[in-house]
Amino acid sequence: MTAPHELTMLEQAAAVRRGEISPVELTAHHLERIERIDPALGAYLTVTPERALEDARRAERLLLAGGDLPPLLGVPVPVKDLTPVAGIRFTSGSAVFADRVAERDAHLVTLLREAGTVLTGKTNTPEFGLPAYTEGRAGPPARTPYDLTRGAGGSSGGAAAAVAAGLAAAAHGSDGGGSIRIPASCCGVVGLKPSRGRVSPAPWGDVSGLAVHGPIARTVRDAAALLDVLSVPAPGDPFPLPVPERTFLQWCDHEPRRLRIARWALPDVAGVTVDPEVLAAYERTSALLEDLGHEVLDVPQPLAPGDRDAFTPVWAVLAALTPVPVEHEGELLPLTRWLRAQGQRVGGLGYARALGAMQAVGRELARAVHPYDAVLTPTLAQLPARVGALRDDADPEADFAAQLAFTPFTAPWNIAGLPAVSLPLGWSDGGLPIGMMLGAPHGAEGRLLALAAQLEAAAPWRECAARAFAVLP
């Protein structure tokens, strides 16, 4: 028999509806796995068994009442700990806020509750979500379950590790420079960064427009179904997108026509070399797309080295925006302090100029993408990094440079506000997952998910992903 954690999110929801497993049983199964496995994995910063069982009992009452049921009734879906859930510990990945408790829910937390999901806890994230690794003082490092000596990536590292290891069927993540797609690649799962404006940041916002919430799942259909839940706008959203006529899950059943797909594997960051195994996976994915009938075209890298320099001051200002008591500033990690110091020096005019320059770079990428239905690149330039390999507390500038070399392909899609998804389409000779990234023009998540679903059907990764269950205790 298939164990409950081996079922996809949609399969779990269907099993609950059919009465094959109760929400309480499903929740208890996941809580047991979290208690047993997570000390080695570092996926969660806070586990909420009381809240989880309360949510599960509420789901059971809804089942007994009958009528129209929420789409994900009884399914465990954790929330990344950069997002507040009322009454639950809210660290933002920082030991400075180890005892803080959130006073109100984010809009997306309300949406998840209305969809019937069960909150098993808050997933691990680095301090303020700033690095491309999930290693901090608020909890242990988040690790990929395929090799516990290697990190899960960041900043949604805990969410991706939880999904890959069967500690959740799917998870909420957020992405300001690659923070959903980086860990998805490291952990062999699907990670979708939606278009700017697709998921509401309410009641808060990101003045830069860089960050967006999105789904992490083991299958494309699960990611699409979770995006359907998350993409309900709130009044006053700064970059609203209309609700599409066709659901994202329905798009997964839409067979794509012959698409024009651009590709490049040259980073726009000077001096960065892409790992040969990553390039091999990129070539195999290109060949698969051609076998599926699509036209794959080599296109020059649209950005030049230095084009994205405006991203750094904007990112630094975002780091500085988080209020920290003066007496606790020294307790922040060196990278955080370095970025905040830069951000505090930018000033109002400097920030406005950096935003304008960054938007110009985004337009350059958007113009390059516009003639095509999709774009293929590697997600990362390297295989999942060993824990501690990117972090450099003695030299934060070197730390930041190492992150750029690790993740040169992801941030431009945030700068432009375009959708992009990482798919586990490659595996190294040593059994490590290699993500391939597909991007698309603004608002084209449906077309992107249809293509991703076609790739998953042609080269299913579910059995490969199940290896993670086998290597865990």
Side-chain angles (χ1 to χ4, degrees), residues 192-407:
L192 173 63
K193 183 202 86 68
S195 297
R196 182 174 296 150
R198 179 65 71 194
V199 179
S200 172
W204 301 276
D206 169 16
V207 293
S208 71
L210 286 172
V212 63
H213 301 280
I216 296 175
R218 288 198 292 273
T219 70
V220 173
R221 290 178 61 82
D222 280 4
L226 188 51
L227 182 60
D228 281 324
V229 167
L230 295 174
S231 58
V232 177
D237 282 345
F239 311 108
L241 277 174
V243 177
E245 294 181 3
R246 178 188 288 167
T247 69
F248 295 117
L249 184 56
Q250 287 171 340
W251 268 104
C252 293
D253 296 323
H254 177 77
E255 186 71 18
R257 56 177 173 78
R258 177 175 168 84
L259 303 178
R260 295 182 76 234
I261 301 173
R263 73 168 200 161
W264 62 77
L266 176 68
D268 67 292
V269 180
V272 172
T273 301
V274 181
D275 186 283
E277 290 196 271
V278 173
L279 289 176
Y282 167 77
E283 295 295 346
R284 288 194 297 271
T285 302
S286 299
L288 176 58
L289 287 166
E290 290 181 330
D291 288 345
L292 291 169
H294 303 300
E295 183 182 12
V296 180
L297 303 163
D298 284 301
V299 172
Q301 162 64 255
L303 304 182
D307 279 356
R308 68 162 77 192
D309 286 354
F311 174 87
T312 303
V314 174
W315 195 247
V317 169
L318 292 179
L321 281 178
T322 302
V324 175
V326 175
E327 64 273 20
H328 293 298
E329 280 278 351
E331 300 170 27
L332 298 173
L333 292 171
L335 176 70
T336 308
R337 296 201 307 271
W338 178 73
L339 284 169
R340 285 169 68 86
Q342 289 188 71
Q344 288 157 2
R345 292 193 296 267
V346 169
L349 285 175
Y351 184 62
R353 289 177 181 132
L355 278 179
M358 191 178 73
Q359 288 171 3
V361 173
R363 288 180 184 276
E364 195 68 31
L365 179 64
R367 278 194 297 268
V369 172
H370 183 71
Y372 303 99
D373 297 298
V375 172
L376 171 69
T377 74
T379 305
L380 302 175
Q382 303 167 19
L383 301 178
R386 294 192 179 276
V387 173
L390 300 175
R391 179 174 167 181
D392 189 343
D393 288 350
D395 189 346
E397 187 171 3
D399 180 318
F400 196 73
Q403 293 181 58
L404 284 180
F406 184 52
T407 66

Side-chain angles (χ1 to χ4, degrees), residues 55 109 178 194 449:
D55 288 349
V109 172
L449 285 162

Side-chain angles (χ1 to χ4, degrees), residues 50-76:
E50 296 85 1
R51 167 66 181 270
L53 291 170
E54 175 189 326
D55 288 349
R57 287 190 287 268
R58 174 176 172 269
E60 292 196 346
R61 291 194 295 271
L62 289 174
L63 277 170
L64 288 173
D68 291 337
L69 296 174
L72 301 180
L73 188 65
V75 177

